[in-house]
Amino acid sequence: MNGKISVTLIVPAYKEEEFIEETLKNYLQIFTESKIDFEIITVIDKVYDDKTDEIVKKIAKNSKEISFVIREGKKGIGSAIKEGIKKAQKDTILIATAEISEDPHDLLKMVEKMNDGYDMVFGNRFYANAKREGYSKKQYFANRLCNYTIKILFKINSNDITNGVKVYKSSILKNLKLTGTSFDIFAEIPIKAYQNNNHNFIEIPLKHYAREKIYSKFNFKRESKLFFLMVLKCFFNK
């Protein structure tokens, strides 16, 4: 392990046959070159018209670092992440994406930052002069509103608390009681981690490339409602 902490990459995947092969191969290359001890757990929601599971199985045959869980039907990204957390075996957990939304080199930097003694490392898409390609004004407004609401209610000094791409000590996530079923889990995890007195975190810049609308799994109206309901739930149950 060369004195470095180890990491589990959790990759939820639902209908990702267009992206999953390139994504996993990029993760394999970057983390293998880093000499970090790592594993990749891909949690796949399998539906009849998709071949994501077949692609992952093929890559896993030649890559001992990759394991996978195949679930029949659309179970949701929230339960996929919870499944990955249960199975994670390394010191830290990085929640990653199944498509090319982030630069894998940025993800590696986040993991390496954990070696400085942090409990959590957050990726910040809203750093000065950041270019968020494909990110609509509507998404930007809703994100900023949700982020500032969380900042005020929970006193978490983060500029991108709702971003799902974060690194945590595994012990933190394994001790959380998570209820989120969809993208709302990305607000729930850092809020509950912070409520459990895990305040030792840092944010670092994370380049983000929003996926085209035809590929997006994010239903803006539905997910916005779930996000704010989750925030209120965490606030009144604290």
Side-chain angles (χ1 to χ4, degrees):
M1 287 177 55
N2 200 29
K4 298 178 180 178
I5 58 170
S6 59
V7 63
T8 298
L9 283 75
I10 297 176
V11 183
Y14 166 67
K15 298 184 73 171
E16 297 289 358
E17 63 183 9
E18 298 282 344
F19 306 101
I20 194 67
E21 182 172 4
E22 183 180 0
T23 299
L24 291 181
K25 287 183 176 178
N26 281 343
Y27 292 160
L28 282 169
Q29 179 183 347
I30 296 302
F31 282 88
T32 298
E33 291 175 352
S34 75
K35 307 298 183 184
I36 289 175
D37 178 22
F38 75 98
E39 64 176 352
I40 300 174
I41 301 175
T42 308
V43 184
I44 305 162
D45 281 0
K46 178 178 174 55
V47 290
Y48 77 96
D49 59 344
D50 180 65
K51 296 180 180 178
T52 300
D53 61 317
E54 296 176 19
I55 297 169
V56 173
K57 286 178 182 178
K58 183 179 177 181
I59 299 171
K61 278 185 179 179
N62 301 311
S63 304
K64 61 180 176 58
E65 295 87 358
I66 294 181
S67 63
F68 53 85
V69 178
I70 299 175
R71 302 149 2 132
E72 293 294 331
K74 185 179 179 182
K75 306 296 184 184
I77 192 169
S79 67
I81 290 170
K82 286 181 274 189
E83 185 78 26
I85 291 170
K86 287 180 189 175
K87 294 186 177 299
Q89 298 293 317
K90 304 301 182 182
D91 302 326
T92 64
I93 293 174
L94 165 62
I95 299 173
T97 58
E99 78 279 359
I100 313 298
S101 293
E102 286 78 31
D103 185 333
H105 291 91
D106 286 346
L107 304 186
L108 175 59
K109 289 177 184 175
M110 292 174 64
V111 173
E112 290 180 329
K113 198 67 181 173
M114 291 289 286
N115 284 298
D116 292 340
Y118 293 102
D119 295 329
M120 307 179 288
V121 176
F122 297 173
N124 179 12
R125 299 166 294 177
F126 297 91
Y127 57 93
N129 301 317
K131 293 181 180 179
R132 293 168 298 277
E133 297 177 19
Y135 210 78
S136 70
K137 290 182 179 178
K138 181 170 68 172
Q139 284 176 295
Y140 179 84
F141 175 78
N143 179 287
R144 295 295 80 196
L145 178 60
C146 189
N147 194 85
Y148 289 130
T149 300
I150 292 171
K151 211 171 187 177
I152 292 169
L153 292 179
F154 302 96
K155 296 180 172 55
I156 305 175
N157 189 25
S158 167
N159 193 42
D160 197 7
I161 194 71
T162 57
N163 181 16
V165 182
K166 293 178 170 65
V167 187
Y168 302 86
K169 284 185 177 178
S170 295
S171 57
I172 292 175
L173 297 193
K174 288 180 180 292
N175 286 322
L176 294 182
K177 293 182 179 179
L178 300 171
T179 62
T181 59
S182 192
F183 289 87
D184 55 336
I185 199 169
F186 294 134
E188 181 185 18
I189 292 175
I191 289 173
K192 287 189 173 178
Y194 201 83
Q195 287 177 322
N196 282 358
N197 295 317
N198 299 293
H199 300 167
N200 182 25
F201 75 92
I202 190 171
E203 276 187 339
I204 65 175
L206 178 68
K207 292 185 286 293
H208 179 75
Y209 313 93
R211 67 195 303 177
E212 294 179 40
K213 193 171 183 180
I214 60 170
Y215 295 118
S216 179
K217 310 298 189 303
F218 190 90
N219 181 310
F220 180 82
K221 185 175 181 180
R222 176 177 178 271
E223 299 300 340
S224 296
K225 181 180 178 181
L226 288 175
F227 260 92
F228 280 99
L229 287 175
M230 177 59 73
V231 170
L232 291 175
K233 183 178 178 181
C234 289
F235 181 74
F236 288 110
N237 289 339
K238 65 182 179 178

